[in-house]
Amino acid sequence: MATETAQAAGGTASADEHLQLEDRIWLLRAMLLMRGIEERAMSLYRQGKVPGSFYDGFGQEAVSAGAAFAMAPEDRLCILHRDLAAHLIRGVPPTRILAQYMGRAAGITRGRDGNVHFGDRRLGCVGMVSMLPDMMLVATGMAMAFKLRGERRCALTWFGDGSTSRGDFHEAMNWAGVQRLPVVFVLENNQYAYSTPLDKQFAVDPVERAAAYGFAGVKVDGNDAEAMFDATRQARQRAVDGEGPTLIEAVTMRMHGHAAHDDMKYVPKDQVEEWRRRDPVDRQERRLRELDVDVDALRAEVAAEIDTAATEALAGPMPTGDDVLSGVFCEGEAEPLGDGHAPWSGFADARPAAGGDA
Ligand SMILES: Cc1ncc(C[n+]2csc(CCOP(=O)(O)OP(=O)(O)O)c2C)c(N)n1
Ligand SMILES: [Mg+2]
């Protein structure tokens, strides 16, 4: 299986063909929202309003925005701790996300977790399992269900470079390859797993591992939202056409510490500086300015939306504890996952028929 390298900067011919101007604006909007919400959450954390620690995806916004954008409403997403843009693209409102971080009743887990382990099942997002990378097995299992039911649907999961050293990674890759399952694995290579750098993580180029399991591996500039979109669009197409899984290695950089408590002293400063010049938000912004989009107005609109969301989230109550046992076990009929938003205009007219439940 060939390992391809997607074209880096300036947009690909294929992205030009598949993205309308409104899609390109949507991609920037999702990334601006992600960055703004996470910045606000970090300041709420410092004010003692976010319990535990806080994890962000600063510098990695294009990985979740670009990949999630290529998915159809009936597809299923297993979203990790640096992938906030995926929740936003599927339709989770910023207020609920900020409420989630603060452990409030209006959060996605209704105050049961003040952290990143959430997913709105009504929008086709699976709540994150903290044991890494168990979401690869969940996505593979869902893809197995799609295949058995003969549905044209796809599952996608993100996971980090650190996850590739775990047994579950290899089990998921192997089963997906053997069964030729409709699943997309997005390896978010952000150079570090906590303080462990890449040269202590793998002795091979990780994208080559796809070939070892019999499917395609694609290395993509993870700081380019449109390149991410395009690689995922093609991977999804292969998946629903019965051509099996794809491993997409999104090469990016974790620009902040592992979490709020980590000053990342172990990361060389010039490495961070070098990646700052490749900022994914700036990149999409430049692209849109060239297309005469009023990016300043978009920025102002997003900033106002986040202000409103933060005010609403802060005004919302904490959970009372009365319903702490509800939702722990299935009561009555299991409620299937719902379909999420999929703003990519390509799906407006050419949406495949929705399949059954998963
Ligand atoms: C099995 C397991 N071991 C340890 C952890 C604690 N932990 C959470 S995130 C993380 C680092 C993961 O690094 P990577 O996979 O590269 O993802 P990144 O955080 O860089 O996005 C660790 C060790 C965990 N969640 N699961
Ligand atoms: Mg990592």
Side-chain angles (χ1 to χ4, degrees):
M1 301 282 150
T3 299
E4 310 148 24
T5 303
Q7 196 174 321
T12 60
S14 178
D16 282 347
E17 189 187 325
H18 290 96
L19 290 173
Q20 311 285 327
L21 182 62
E22 71 197 61
D23 299 320
R24 300 189 136 132
I25 296 173
W26 234 109
L27 283 171
L28 178 59
R29 189 185 153 70
M31 290 196 288
L32 286 171
L33 270 174
M34 172 172 169
R35 185 163 290 185
I37 290 170
E38 291 188 338
E39 279 173 345
R40 182 61 61 96
M42 190 67 89
S43 94
L44 291 166
Y45 168 78
R46 295 204 172 102
Q47 293 165 31
K49 295 203 166 75
V50 171
S53 191
F54 185 69
Y55 303 77
D56 72 5
F58 191 105
Q60 300 177 219
E61 292 86 350
V63 181
S64 51
F69 207 64
M71 303 303 280
E74 66 276 15
D75 292 336
R76 298 292 178 246
L77 276 63
C78 296
I79 307 172
L80 261 77
H81 51 300
R82 309 213 191 270
D83 305 321
L84 185 63
H87 294 285
L88 294 162
I89 285 172
R90 295 301 277 189
V92 183
T95 308
R96 291 191 71 212
I97 291 167
L98 286 165
Q100 169 70 22
Y101 293 146
M102 293 191 284
R104 309 254 161 169
I108 294 117
T109 60
R110 294 180 286 144
R112 284 154 175 74
D113 184 290
N115 212 303
V116 289
H117 312 108
F118 65 88
D120 189 336
R121 61 209 304 277
R122 291 168 307 175
L123 297 169
C125 307
V126 183
M128 178 181 157
V129 179
S130 194
M131 295 304 113
L132 298 170
D134 282 0
M135 296 299 266
M136 286 184 76
L137 297 169
V138 175
T140 302
M142 285 192 292
M144 185 80 198
F146 300 154
K147 181 185 165 187
L148 290 173
R149 295 176 190 154
E151 297 168 355
R152 276 179 70 82
R153 300 163 78 187
C154 178
L156 180 146
T157 186
W158 291 263
F159 54 94
D161 38 285
S163 287
T164 64
S165 305
R166 295 262 312 171
D168 350 34
F169 165 88
H170 298 277
E171 290 171 32
M173 295 276 285
N174 187 54
W175 189 244
V178 168
Q179 293 287 331
R180 297 190 78 65
L181 297 180
V183 58
V184 181
F185 297 121
V186 181
L187 159 55
E188 200 151 3
N189 181 353
N190 64 358
Q191 316 297 315
Y192 289 89
Y194 214 132
S195 55
T196 305
L198 297 187
D199 61 351
K200 301 265 185 309
Q201 196 68 253
F202 20 69
V204 293
D205 183 342
V207 75
E208 301 293 349
R209 287 186 167 160
Y213 294 106
F215 54 87
V218 187
K219 195 188 278 283
V220 182
D221 180 344
N223 282 22
D224 182 345
E226 295 193 6
M228 277 306 302
F229 160 81
D230 209 41
T232 312
R233 180 188 65 74
Q234 292 178 44
R236 179 185 186 275
Q237 195 61 48
R238 278 195 287 277
V240 298
D241 286 348
E243 291 169 27
T246 302
L247 172 68
I248 296 175
E249 183 196 0
V251 183
T252 183
M253 172 71 187
R254 197 193 70 204
M255 297 296 285
H256 286 171
H258 173 70
H261 57 270
D262 173 22
D263 64 9
M264 62 178 206
K265 260 195 230 136
Y266 49 87
V267 177
K269 291 214 168 32
D270 50 356
Q271 187 182 14
V272 178
E273 275 320 306
E274 189 198 321
W275 280 92
R276 205 176 294 286
R277 289 193 284 278
R278 299 189 223 166
D279 185 86
V281 176
D282 292 350
R283 184 148 177 190
Q284 190 67 4
E285 229 187 83
R286 277 198 303 277
R287 211 173 248 153
L288 290 182
R289 281 189 200 282
E290 277 168 28
L291 295 168
D292 286 332
V293 173
D294 186 350
V295 171
D296 299 325
L298 181 67
R299 273 189 173 275
E301 197 186 298
V302 167
E305 189 177 343
I306 295 170
D307 279 345
T308 307
T311 308
E312 280 173 12
L314 279 161
M318 297 299 281
T320 58
D322 294 350
D323 69 344
V324 74
L325 293 178
S326 81
V328 176
F329 300 104
C330 181
E331 290 151 19
E333 281 297 301
E335 191 192 322
L337 301 190
D339 288 350
H341 297 200
W344 177 34
S345 57
F347 285 110
D349 358 288
R351 227 187 99 167
D357 305 326

